[in-house]
């Protein structure tokens, strides 16, 4: 623990600027002197003084040998990993690096259907063939959970040549499957497990939270420190352990995907976040759990709103959950989560994390206190008072989009000749684009899949419900790029 009171990277930066070096290098704003003064004054001297890139005294993220190496080693120790790589490109780049580290063109990878769009990009970059597994649906809440150990086992039995199993743990809504069991099953076949831990950086630091990827024995995990761990937006880590995947290979692929102008503000914030999580995380999370639980209980005393807790558990895909995620079902008020998001913004200036057809999601973190919790509760109580006279229970129509047939690999589709046709006439054609309802981001089809009538009806239903159906180049959803069909040669 002693070593975790140090921040070698942040300290190294401070030492560098305290020597008052005279810069003749990029960035050209030179401590803010060469930039628009209104922005400079707003951002402030301190931030600008460490807005540096990899000059020699400051080590190099692409070949760490000094203070970055030391900071990454401390992070690995904190996360229980063999190695930790820092990322200045969010969790999206580490996710792509994980997939590209294990898959070459034509290799199979088992993935849940509700993947983040970075996984779709990874499939295109790597040329991998996705073997999709349906996530479990929660028909009460109208959301998708994770994949079950049984579905992973079935997928492996059908595709024992798969090069990896990809798992989202926990989901955006904070629900986790039995990850340890999934890892054990996959390892019986020598298949590495890659975890999208975008919403779980904190879970490693408290035993009342779902088990973390590293603690469950997973091989690689892309973990968003910036989302829930207190570092700056866009800073993240890739953790790894074991010998199913080679460290040097991961490092070189991550490097291929990473800017050469790595932000030291972001890197230093990762170093500080590791210290924060490791030395104070348990206590802070304990307090966060208490706040979240008191809010959950208060919300559940209001008519027409429900905030699930332990009742989430007990299915094959709901092994544990993160109580700091306050998921509020608003369907009994006769409103959509989308309506509630807007109402909270307009009347209370509250911004929620996400809304969907039936729920809103609010995250409680060490950044909250009794006052913020009370404010949210007051707003929710006012919401109920406003709408209770006209309340009726909205029926949950939850259906995952059908999984289409994959005609060609997402990469082949991406590089094929395409043409633009009206979306309503696209049934039977092979898509060259991705389309999804986001958040939570379940693709309706991805490049290489055959567009069916059923998929088109699903899109229409979501558009009619006012949900954000995104991804097509034509944002009005009138046209779509499909693969050009070859003329038969007679
Ligand atoms: C499940 C999931 N995975 C990955 C990501 C990508 O993370 P980042 O935004 O840090 O690139 C997100 C972002 O929202 C996400 O929700």
């Amino acid at each position: 623990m002693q070593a975790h009171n140090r921040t070698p990277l942040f300290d190294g930066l401070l030492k560098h600027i305290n020597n008052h070096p005279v810069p003749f290098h990029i960035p050209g704003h030179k401590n803010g002197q060469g930039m628009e003064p209104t922005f400079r004054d707003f951002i402030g001297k301190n931030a600008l003084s460490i807005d540096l890139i990899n000059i020699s005294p400051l080590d190099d993220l692409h070949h760490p040998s000094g203070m970055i190496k030391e900071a990454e080693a401390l992070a690995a120790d904190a996360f229980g990993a063999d190695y930790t790589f820092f990322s200045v490109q969010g969790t999206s780049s580490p996710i792509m690096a994980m997939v590209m580290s294990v898959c070459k063109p034509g290799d199979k990878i088992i993935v849940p259907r509700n993947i983040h769009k970075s996984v779709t990009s990874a499939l295109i970059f790597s040329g991998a063939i996705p073997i999709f597994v349906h996530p479990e649906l929660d028909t009460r809440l109208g959301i998708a959970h994770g994949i079950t150990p049984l579905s992973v086992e079935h997928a492996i039995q059908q595709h024992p040549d798969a090069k990896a199993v990809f798992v989202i743990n926990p989901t955006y809504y904070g629900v986790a499957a039995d990850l340890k069991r999934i890892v054990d099953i996959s390892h019986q076949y020598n298949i590495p497990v890659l975890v999208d831990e975008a919403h779980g950086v904190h879970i490693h630091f408290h035993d009342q939270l779902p088990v973390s990827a590293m603690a469950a024995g997973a091989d690689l995990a892309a973990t968003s420190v910036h989302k829930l761990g207190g570092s700056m937006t866009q800073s993240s880590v890739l953790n790894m352990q074991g010998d199913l995947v080679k460290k040097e290979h991961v490092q070189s692929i991550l490097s291929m995907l990473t800017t050469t102008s790595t932000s030291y503000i972001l890197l230093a914030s990762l170093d500080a976040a590791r210290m924060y999580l490791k030395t104070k995380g348990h206590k802070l999370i304990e307090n966060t759990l208490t706040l979240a639980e008191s809010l959950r209980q208060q919300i559940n005393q209001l008519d027409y709103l429900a905030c699930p807790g332990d009742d989430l558990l007990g299915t094959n895909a709901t092994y544990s959950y993160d109580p700091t995620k306050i998921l509020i079902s608003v369907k009994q008020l006769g409103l959509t989560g989308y309506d509630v998001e807007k109402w909270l913004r307009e009347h209370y200036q509250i911004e929620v994390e996400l809304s969907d057809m039936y729920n809103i999601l609010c995250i409680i973190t060490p950044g909250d206190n009794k006052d913020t919790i009370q404010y949210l509760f007051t707003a929710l109580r006012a919401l109920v008072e406003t709408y209770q006279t006209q309340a009726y229970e909205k029926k949950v129509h939850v259906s995952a989009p059908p999984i289409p047939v994959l005609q060609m690999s997402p990469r082949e589709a991406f590089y094929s000749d395409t043409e633009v046709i009206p979306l309503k006439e696209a049934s039977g054609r092979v898509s060259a684009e991705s389309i999804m309802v986001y958040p939570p981001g379940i693709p309706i089809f991805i490049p290489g899949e055959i567009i069916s009538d059923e998929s088109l009806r699903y899109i229409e239903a979501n558009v009619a419900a006012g949900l954000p159906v995104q991804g097509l180049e034509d944002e009005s959803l009138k046209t779509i790029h499909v693969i050009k069909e070859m003329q038969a040669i007679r």
Side-chain angles (χ1 to χ4, degrees):
M1 189 62 96
Q2 269 294 310
H4 286 288
N5 285 317
R6 296 173 47 240
T7 46
L9 173 45
F10 183 36
D11 292 351
L13 261 182
L14 294 183
K15 188 166 161 223
H16 175 75
I17 62 167
N18 287 338
N19 284 338
H20 304 290
V22 183
F24 286 98
H25 60 74
I26 289 167
H29 65 66
K30 302 196 176 188
N31 295 317
Q33 294 316 302
M35 66 164 35
E36 169 55 36
T38 43
F39 184 73
R40 174 184 64 213
D41 294 346
F42 179 77
I43 288 290
K45 261 198 200 134
N46 284 347
L48 290 167
S49 71
I50 61 163
D51 183 31
L52 295 165
I53 60 166
N54 52 327
I55 49 172
S56 174
L58 300 182
D59 206 1
D60 181 355
L61 184 64
H62 291 266
H63 305 279
S65 60
M67 62 195 213
I68 294 181
K69 189 174 177 190
E70 227 186 307
E72 287 186 332
L74 282 169
D77 184 67
F79 284 108
D82 289 348
Y83 302 102
T84 293
F85 305 102
F86 284 177
S87 161
V88 291
Q89 285 168 199
T91 304
S92 296
S93 286
I95 283 178
M96 293 179 216
M98 291 199 297
V99 175
M100 291 168 74
S101 298
V102 293
C103 288
K104 321 188 279 309
D107 283 345
K108 292 178 187 168
I109 180 167
I110 295 166
V111 285
R113 186 65 184 175
N114 52 340
I115 41 174
H116 183 256
K117 61 186 185 181
S118 57
V119 186
T120 312
S121 307
L123 294 173
I124 292 172
F125 291 154
S126 65
I129 309 286
I131 306 297
F132 284 114
V133 175
H134 258 305
E136 193 181 88
L137 286 183
D138 188 321
T139 49
R140 182 177 57 119
L141 293 166
I143 60 173
H145 296 312
I147 53 177
T148 67
L150 200 65
S151 59
V152 169
E153 190 156 27
H154 283 158
I156 295 179
Q157 280 162 355
Q158 283 173 31
H159 302 277
D161 52 342
K163 294 292 188 248
V165 169
F166 188 97
V167 187
I168 306 161
N169 190 78
T171 64
Y172 207 155
Y173 296 95
V175 176
D178 186 351
L179 183 61
K180 178 131 192 12
R181 179 97 193 90
I182 291 176
V183 170
D184 290 346
I185 292 168
S186 308
H187 282 178
Q188 276 167 23
Y189 294 81
N190 258 346
I191 298 178
V193 177
L194 323 180
V195 181
D196 174 344
E197 207 175 41
H199 299 285
V201 64
H202 56 311
I203 61 178
H204 191 72
F205 300 93
H206 201 288
D207 47 14
Q208 278 173 34
L209 294 172
V211 69
S212 71
M214 288 298 108
D219 302 84
L220 289 162
T223 306
S224 287
V225 187
H226 71 101
K227 285 192 169 68
L228 297 168
S231 69
M232 305 281 285
T233 294
Q234 228 172 293
S235 62
S236 187
V237 295
L238 176 51
N239 288 320
M240 74 173 293
Q241 65 184 350
D243 48 20
L244 288 182
V245 189
K246 267 186 77 184
K247 177 217 169 198
E248 292 71 20
H249 191 49
V250 176
Q251 167 114 49
S252 69
I253 288 177
L254 192 56
S255 187
M256 280 166 66
L257 296 171
T258 298
T259 172
T260 41
S261 305
T262 49
S263 159
Y264 275 73
I265 297 183
L266 299 186
L267 292 174
S269 82
L270 281 171
D271 196 22
R274 181 269 312 151
M275 174 171 136
Y276 180 75
L277 286 167
K278 183 69 183 171
T279 62
K280 307 177 189 109
H282 191 274
K283 196 154 178 265
L284 291 164
I285 294 168
E286 186 88 23
N287 188 39
T288 306
L289 286 166
T290 308
L291 284 175
E293 201 41 48
S294 80
L295 178 61
R296 177 173 281 103
Q297 282 178 16
Q298 288 189 81
I299 294 171
N300 280 329
Q301 277 164 16
L302 292 174
D303 289 335
Y304 307 106
L305 296 184
C307 181
D310 290 351
D311 50 323
L312 276 167
L313 303 181
T315 76
N316 289 330
T318 59
Y319 185 73
S320 56
Y321 74 103
D322 172 359
T324 67
K325 296 289 181 83
I326 297 290
L327 176 61
I328 305 167
S329 165
V330 298
K331 65 179 184 186
Q332 291 179 64
L333 265 184
L335 299 173
T336 65
Y338 206 50
D339 297 328
V340 173
E341 172 180 341
K342 247 173 101 184
W343 190 91
L344 289 171
R345 179 178 298 126
E346 280 167 12
H347 297 270
Y348 281 82
Q349 287 165 291
I350 285 174
E351 295 293 342
V352 302
E353 171 58 25
L354 74 78
S355 60
D356 62 30
M357 192 68 174
Y358 311 104
N359 313 287
I360 57 167
L361 179 71
C362 295
I363 59 164
I364 309 303
T365 76
D368 283 293
N369 55 48
K370 281 191 177 145
D371 293 343
T372 62
I373 299 297
Q374 200 49 42
Y375 187 64
L376 177 55
F377 176 70
T378 306
L380 291 169
R381 193 175 47 202
L383 172 83
V384 172
E385 281 163 9
T386 308
Y387 287 99
Q388 60 190 352
T389 51
Q390 61 197 70
Y392 70 98
E393 174 147 359
K394 246 185 186 313
K395 219 166 146 3
V396 174
H397 297 280
V398 61
S399 60
I403 298 185
V405 175
L406 190 73
Q407 174 78 11
M408 55 179 72
S409 79
R411 180 191 180 88
E412 264 180 282
F414 185 79
Y415 286 112
S416 294
D417 285 341
T418 62
E419 60 184 330
V420 179
I421 62 167
L423 181 62
K424 358 190 242 277
E425 292 167 21
S427 180
R429 301 295 298 269
V430 177
S431 178
E433 296 191 69
S434 280
I435 181 165
M436 64 181 87
V437 185
Y438 188 82
I442 299 181
I444 302 162
F445 39 79
I446 65 166
E449 289 180 336
I450 299 175
I451 300 164
S452 65
D453 284 336
E454 213 182 341
S455 299
L456 293 177
R457 280 197 298 274
Y458 184 87
I459 292 172
E460 261 174 40
N462 279 283
V463 170
L467 289 173
V469 180
Q470 303 171 353
L472 294 189
E473 205 172 289
D474 174 2
E475 287 178 8
S476 71
L477 305 184
K478 290 205 166 57
T479 60
I480 179 167
H481 284 80
V482 293
I483 308 301
K484 247 188 186 160
E485 286 176 335
M486 297 291 174
Q487 291 292 325
I489 300 169
R490 292 178 196 278

